[in-house]
Amino acid sequence: MAFLPAERFIILIIATLALLGACLLLLKGVGIDVAGYASLVACGAFLLALGQFYRTVRRNERIAVTATAAGLFVLFTIAGSIFNYLLLPLRLSPIDPLLARFDAALGFDWPAFVTFASHYPRAGMLLQMVYASSLPQLVVILLVLGLGGRIRLLHHFLMTGVIGALTAIICWFFFPSFGPASIYALPADVTQRVPLAAGPDYGAQLVQLGRNGAAYLTPRNALGLIGFPSFHTVMATMSACFMLRCGALGLPFLLLNVLMMPAIIIQGGHNIADVLGGFLVFGVAYAIALAALRQLEGTQGKHRTGTATATAT
């Protein structure tokens, strides 16, 4: 199979997560929806196969890298989600009260902010749509970069997302949190005026999962576990940053993801601290991904030079 260095790097991470996940499933005796996950894995595998077809048979590298990136995106999402769930139940106490005190020190009160926002239901509906655009944005960017021939930028984008997700999972494992919705109760009239993607009921489910772990894994009802750092913030910053590197095309993404910040706090049930943590994780992931990509390119260049020398000899 013909994979580029960045693609092999991500495949190695996916394989490692899958192996760890399989071991944890056996050790913990957690049930799994084999059919549900198999259909998603089949989708990712099909996209990888399509990429190989266009790389080795049809010789269209733009389609090849786009299909391969899409397949890796699907497979990493599955492996990362399962691995994250299998870290439950929590061994450490959630730090939500600490994060709430940090927000209070900044003069921010999450229940008061959501209550204020509930008086503007149309704005709330807009933010709900903005919040739901996170994953579709990543897919659009993947297509724009891949089909546009910006292969190096696409690989930097993918590696930033993978490293950012792993960093967020590691941080959350050692400093678990489920967001302010898990510790605050909101009046019923507030949640009726502004339906929350991660409201008090959602927070209660997360707390229960944190205490008891998951007995059965299925993609049909997977929840976003991580409160701090906010991975939605990582995704939003990725979208704005990488599309701005494409010029004026990035301006709509910048505007959309400026709106994403209040959406993350309200719809996602996040603290200001979670958002700040998401910015930090993005910065670290971006830098590590760039350094790793340069290293992979350097290794590939040395390999090509060595092969050419041996052939000439």
Side-chain angles (χ1 to χ4, degrees):
M1 289 185 143
F3 288 107
L4 300 178
E7 295 166 350
R8 290 196 295 269
F9 174 83
I10 297 172
I11 289 171
L12 178 61
I13 291 176
I14 293 171
T16 302
L17 287 175
L19 179 60
L20 290 173
C23 292
L24 289 172
L25 278 171
L26 292 174
L27 287 172
K28 297 189 173 188
V30 176
I32 186 167
D33 179 2
V34 176
Y37 282 110
S39 62
L40 296 176
V41 171
C43 177
F46 169 76
L47 289 168
L48 288 184
L50 184 65
Q52 289 300 296
F53 174 76
Y54 275 97
R55 180 164 289 158
T56 59
V57 179
R58 294 295 297 271
R59 302 290 181 177
N60 187 320
E61 189 59 17
R62 292 191 179 193
I63 297 179
V65 295
T66 304
T68 301
L72 294 175
F73 178 82
V74 171
L75 294 176
F76 175 78
T77 300
I78 298 165
S81 175
I82 291 174
F83 177 71
N84 197 10
Y85 257 86
L86 290 171
L87 294 177
L88 299 171
L90 297 174
R91 304 300 179 188
L92 300 169
S93 298
I95 63 168
D96 292 291
L98 176 63
L99 296 174
R101 288 196 294 272
F102 179 88
D103 275 19
L106 296 177
F108 180 78
D109 182 89
W110 185 79
F113 186 69
V114 176
T115 301
F116 168 77
S118 71
H119 295 294
Y120 303 91
R122 290 185 180 178
M125 291 174 62
L126 173 63
L127 292 180
Q128 193 173 35
M129 290 187 290
V130 169
Y131 186 75
S133 75
S134 288
L135 280 176
Q137 281 189 64
L138 299 185
V139 173
V140 169
I141 294 168
L142 185 152
L143 294 173
V144 168
L145 296 181
L147 297 178
R150 297 174 178 266
I151 297 175
R152 190 175 191 275
L153 194 58
L154 172 63
H155 287 163
H156 188 192
F157 173 75
L158 281 176
M159 290 173 65
T160 299
V162 167
I163 293 170
L166 292 176
T167 304
I169 290 172
I170 292 169
C171 288
W172 174 83
F173 177 73
F174 287 105
F175 305 99
S177 68
F178 296 118
S182 67
I183 60 173
Y184 291 118
L186 293 172
D189 62 317
V190 171
T191 55
Q192 287 169 1
R193 286 197 299 264
V194 55
L196 303 176
D201 291 342
Y202 189 95
Q205 285 181 273
L206 292 180
V207 171
Q208 190 70 14
L209 270 173
R211 288 174 181 164
N212 304 321
Y216 185 74
L217 300 183
T218 175
R220 293 184 179 88
N221 62 0
L223 303 177
L225 300 177
I226 299 174
F228 173 87
S230 162
F231 190 62
H232 255 84
T233 301
V234 177
M235 291 192 293
T237 314
M238 280 177 58
S239 297
C241 177
F242 281 93
M243 287 308 293
L244 283 172
R245 291 178 63 180
C246 296
L249 188 61
L251 293 178
F253 284 84
L254 176 62
L255 176 60
L256 182 59
N257 287 294
V258 167
L259 291 174
M260 184 68 75
M261 295 304 107
I264 287 170
I265 292 170
I266 297 169
Q267 288 294 324
H270 280 286
N271 297 289
I272 294 289
D274 299 339
V275 173
L276 296 177
F279 286 139
L280 179 60
V281 166
F282 166 76
V284 170
Y286 184 95
I288 293 175
L290 183 58
L293 186 58
R294 287 172 176 165
Q295 180 65 34
L296 291 168
E297 291 170 342
T299 302
Q300 183 187 36
K302 290 178 182 178
H303 175 72
R304 285 177 175 172
T305 302
T307 302
T309 302
T311 302
T313 303

